[in-house]
Amino acid sequence: MKKIYAREEHCIGCRLCEIHCSAAHSKYPDDLVKAFKKAEVLPVPRVKVEEDIPLSFALQCRHCEEPHCLTACITGAMYRDEKTGAILNDPERCVGCWTCIVVCPYGAIFRDEGVGKVVAKCDLCLEQGEPACVANCPNAALVLKEKGGE
Amino acid sequence: MRYCIIGNSAAAVGAIEGIRLLDRENPITVISDEPYHTYSRPLISYFLAGTKEEEGMIYRPKDFYRKNNVEVLLGKKAVSLDTVAGEVVLADGQKIAYDKLLLATGGKPFIPPVKGLSAINEGIFTFIKLDDAKELQQHAGAGKTAVIIGAGLIGLKAAEGLIKLGVDVTVVDLAPHVLSSILDEKAAQLVQRHLVGKGLKFHFGVTADAITENDGKKIVALADGTEITADMVIMAVGVVPNHGLAKDSDIEINRGIVTDNHMETSIKGIYAAGDVAENYDLLAGENRVIPILPNAYQQGNTAGINMTGNEVVYPGGFAKNAIGFFGLAMTTAGLVKDKDAEEYVNAADDSYVKLLVKDHKLVGFIRINAVDRSGILTGLMIDRVDVSGMLESLLSVEPGLIVLPADTRHSRLEGGAVTWR
């Protein structure tokens, strides 16, 4: 399956990926200004920029083949999407126990208490098509591709 | 090939999903003495507090058994095994023949010998299953009083639920502080302060010696002479492997059912997984029971794949916990104490981080009010990464991957962490 890969040599730490990720998961996915000015609660970004200049990179869920989070989820909220293979979280079933957070070796699952006590993780923007972080990275430091592919 | 699974919780579901990865055809029978569709046991505290309805507790969707071609016998108790004939005998006399069997019977409450306890018929509870929570909920309410024997995960989750229902709760434990299996004293003090602020009362370092009854009220006599009167008593001292079925057979048992790295017991074709089973603890370096849900699922899943005749190894595991009480969240993993380990602490008024490091490797952590990205530490424990140069970052309230050596970091970015398998 295609996943998002970070190219740290191209990342400048601008955090636009975080901003567009939040907006893409808000009530106004197509309008950055509305998302930030009108949404009552802004979802937490599901991508995380880490920075220690000159090094920086952005990381989100690796959609593992043997996901720790899926085996650890106490409610069954974490599941694999049958069509795409993406690992998704059902916010209706998630109770915010944070067990997935203590087992994810990437630190790619985040608490989102604003929208209800649930976790937020990368869903590859499956509903929108291209992931917002990839589409809006000014430097192509995030790419959607098969593992090892271009 | 006929598969039989006794139990219907995380290990059983893991096994069903493991079997069906590789074998869509052969019949699976699941036997459970509870009358419910598979549900999440950890959610019983949410159910008690009224934040989760029964329907919302299902661990897999309603069509799970149908989709996976599983015959499920609910409300049926397995009473004995014939390991020679390959049969499970149920309480109603029915016999279920199997070729491959999984014992996923979980844990049961450990009830310490307390004088007078067995003579009391009503108002004494345990807190492990949905039925336990239902019974407790019927008795709980504003103005009621409860004594909980045990300040571990189960006791405190019961306490939180009861407080939310308006019950006046006193917790008693022999240990000097709460959650002694996962927290050190300093961490526990932070948690206790928070819990006392929510109305909990504690008696530490003392056992309950006797329970008597007077006009429906229970009187709990502690070893230090204190007497506490309450409407209900919850026994939450601990959980032990529910291995009664194996005990009467020739399957090897230590504390739990002994399993190898395929989750197979001493009898070929019979497997065990979850809270009933004993397996390798990667950090303690010995076999033991680690009764937590993630391990139960992984062990069950491994057993399931092996039951199909394909071979896969369970490498062992270690304890990992995420838990919260009245909004105070904490994560822990691995060892709590080790005389050979160095300890590193970052304590503030409202947060606490402790790392245990042995031979330059992380072997345990406690993170209170500092749960974000704590899995990064768990991953370093699985990978046995040398953490000498990154302790400061790992001690921070929110650790990151950026401090990892370049090759490890690149492997993380590519999705190359060691998998649990």
Side-chain angles (χ1 to χ4, degrees):
Chain A
M1 67 178 286
K2 282 189 176 173
K3 297 178 193 175
I4 302 165
Y5 291 94
R7 301 202 294 174
E8 61 182 35
E9 67 280 17
H10 292 273
C11 178
I12 55 168
C14 69
R15 296 182 184 259
L16 277 171
C17 51
E18 291 185 355
I19 285 170
H20 283 277
C21 179
S22 273
H25 294 92
S26 75
K27 278 189 195 154
Y28 306 98
D30 304 318
D31 192 323
L32 210 52
V33 176
K34 274 189 182 162
F36 274 75
K37 298 215 185 242
K38 286 198 162 182
E40 282 165 22
V41 217
L42 199 63
V44 303
R46 293 124 188 255
V47 55
K48 187 89 183 172
V49 174
E50 290 192 44
E51 163 176 324
D52 183 9
I53 295 299
L55 175 63
S56 68
F57 58 85
L59 186 75
Q60 58 295 84
C61 172
R62 300 291 82 212
H63 300 279
C64 304
E65 306 206 343
E66 300 269 9
H68 291 268
C69 60
L70 204 152
T71 64
C73 179
I74 67 162
T75 67
M78 202 68 83
Y79 66 101
R80 186 188 297 280
D81 181 54
E82 285 177 16
K83 255 194 238 154
T84 60
I87 307 299
L88 304 177
N89 180 55
D90 178 354
E92 298 293 318
R93 303 184 66 193
C94 178
V95 294
C97 73
W98 320 137
T99 305
C100 51
I101 292 178
V102 74
V103 299
C104 175
Y106 307 101
I109 309 180
F110 307 96
R111 294 191 290 166
D112 196 347
E113 306 212 60
V115 297
K117 194 172 174 284
V118 295
V119 294
K121 65 177 293 302
C122 169
D123 57 4
L124 294 171
C125 291
L126 289 175
E127 284 171 20
Q128 284 99 319
E130 193 180 12
C133 58
V134 173
N136 293 288
C137 178
N139 257 12
L142 286 168
V143 286
L144 182 70
K145 58 167 193 163
E146 295 288 341
K147 190 170 182 148
E150 277 306 306
Chain B
M1 177 74 77
R2 294 157 299 179
Y3 303 103
C4 180
I5 298 170
I6 307 177
N8 189 22
S9 200
V13 167
I16 293 168
E17 292 179 348
I19 292 169
R20 288 296 180 238
L21 277 177
L22 296 153
D23 180 352
R24 297 294 312 169
E25 302 299 323
N26 287 302
I28 303 175
T29 304
V30 167
I31 301 164
S32 171
D33 58 1
E34 294 181 77
Y36 306 113
H37 180 89
T38 184
Y39 69 92
S40 162
R41 287 245 175 117
L43 287 185
I44 64 171
S45 61
Y46 293 77
F47 174 83
L48 176 66
T51 51
K52 204 77 180 163
E53 302 283 316
E54 187 175 337
E55 303 80 62
M57 292 174 70
I58 56 172
Y59 181 54
R60 287 295 182 268
K62 278 286 181 193
D63 59 2
F64 175 73
Y65 301 119
R66 187 182 52 75
K67 269 194 162 172
N68 285 288
N69 185 23
V70 174
E71 183 191 9
V72 59
L73 305 176
L74 299 178
K76 301 264 187 186
K77 190 169 173 57
V79 290
S80 69
L81 299 180
D82 184 336
T83 59
V84 178
E87 281 178 346
V88 180
V89 183
L90 306 185
D92 61 9
Q94 194 186 345
K95 288 179 179 170
I96 309 294
Y98 66 83
D99 298 298
K100 295 284 171 71
L101 175 69
L102 175 68
L103 300 171
T105 46
K108 62 178 183 186
F110 169 66
I111 308 291
V114 179
K115 212 191 306 169
L117 181 63
S118 56
I120 299 173
N121 296 322
E122 228 197 342
I124 309 285
F125 303 91
T126 54
F127 195 58
I128 291 201
K129 301 187 292 188
L130 179 54
D131 281 343
D132 298 339
K134 284 183 176 177
E135 276 179 43
L136 196 51
Q137 203 180 45
Q138 278 174 10
H139 284 75
K144 291 283 178 78
T145 49
V147 173
I148 299 177
I149 316 284
L153 295 163
I154 292 174
L156 290 190
K157 283 315 272 187
E160 182 189 45
L162 290 172
I163 291 260
K164 285 179 178 167
L165 295 174
V167 177
D168 181 272
V169 180
T170 304
V171 180
V172 177
D173 200 303
L174 177 60
H177 56 74
V178 292
L179 301 169
S180 57
S181 66
I182 58 169
L183 298 184
D184 65 3
E185 179 138 20
K186 274 197 183 144
Q189 274 167 4
L190 207 161
V191 176
Q192 271 160 232
R193 263 209 318 272
H194 183 72
L195 293 175
V196 168
K198 301 294 176 185
L200 257 78
K201 285 170 267 184
F202 290 106
H203 291 265
F204 290 114
V206 67
T207 51
D209 267 5
I211 301 180
T212 50
E213 210 168 10
N214 184 12
D215 201 17
K217 297 266 188 189
K218 322 294 169 236
I219 300 148
V220 181
L222 306 185
D224 64 2
T226 313
E227 285 193 346
I228 313 166
T229 303
D231 298 300
M232 56 197 120
V233 176
I234 295 107
M235 303 302 293
V237 174
V239 179
V240 289
N242 181 25
H243 52 39
L245 268 178
K247 206 145 209 170
D248 301 326
S249 77
D250 34 10
I251 297 169
E252 188 188 345
I253 297 171
N254 186 24
R255 251 183 71 78
I257 298 175
V258 177
T259 55
D260 65 11
N261 63 1
H262 295 83
M263 302 314 300
E264 197 166 21
T265 69
S266 60
I267 305 277
K268 214 171 155 27
I270 301 182
Y271 297 74
D275 294 7
V276 75
E278 197 174 284
N279 201 282
Y280 192 62
D281 184 318
L282 284 172
L283 299 171
E286 59 186 15
N287 281 16
R288 61 186 201 98
V289 180
I290 308 174
I292 58 165
L293 189 142
N295 291 18
Y297 180 92
Q298 293 176 356
Q299 293 181 356
N301 194 256
T302 304
I305 291 173
N306 285 304
M307 287 161 79
T308 66
N310 293 273
E311 202 178 321
V312 63
V313 164
Y314 180 69
F318 53 83
K320 296 147 242 162
N321 283 287
I323 191 158
F325 301 102
F326 302 103
L328 178 68
M330 66 200 80
T331 53
T332 66
L335 309 176
V336 188
K337 290 182 191 103
D338 187 298
K339 60 175 172 41
D340 301 325
E342 297 149 46
E343 297 188 355
Y344 299 87
V345 173
N346 174 14
D349 279 351
D350 58 348
S351 70
Y352 181 83
V353 178
K354 178 162 116 171
L355 311 177
L356 258 69
V357 177
K358 203 170 156 180
D359 303 327
H360 309 292
K361 314 282 191 328
L362 191 62
V363 292
F365 67 80
I366 298 170
R367 304 185 65 90
I368 297 178
N369 255 345
V371 309
D372 291 331
R373 311 199 80 199
S374 49
I376 290 175
L377 278 69
T378 310
L380 297 174
M381 289 164 73
I382 296 172
D383 275 2
R384 316 285 294 163
V385 174
D386 185 328
V387 295
S388 313
M390 55 180 96
L391 289 170
E392 195 184 333
S393 166
L394 299 183
L395 273 168
S396 71
V397 174
E398 189 178 324
L401 294 167
I402 201 157
V403 293
L404 267 50
D407 54 342
T408 314
R409 187 179 72 242
H410 292 147
S411 135
R412 289 291 191 274
L413 294 180
E414 288 294 311
V418 167
T419 62
W420 61 265
R421 186 104 66 191

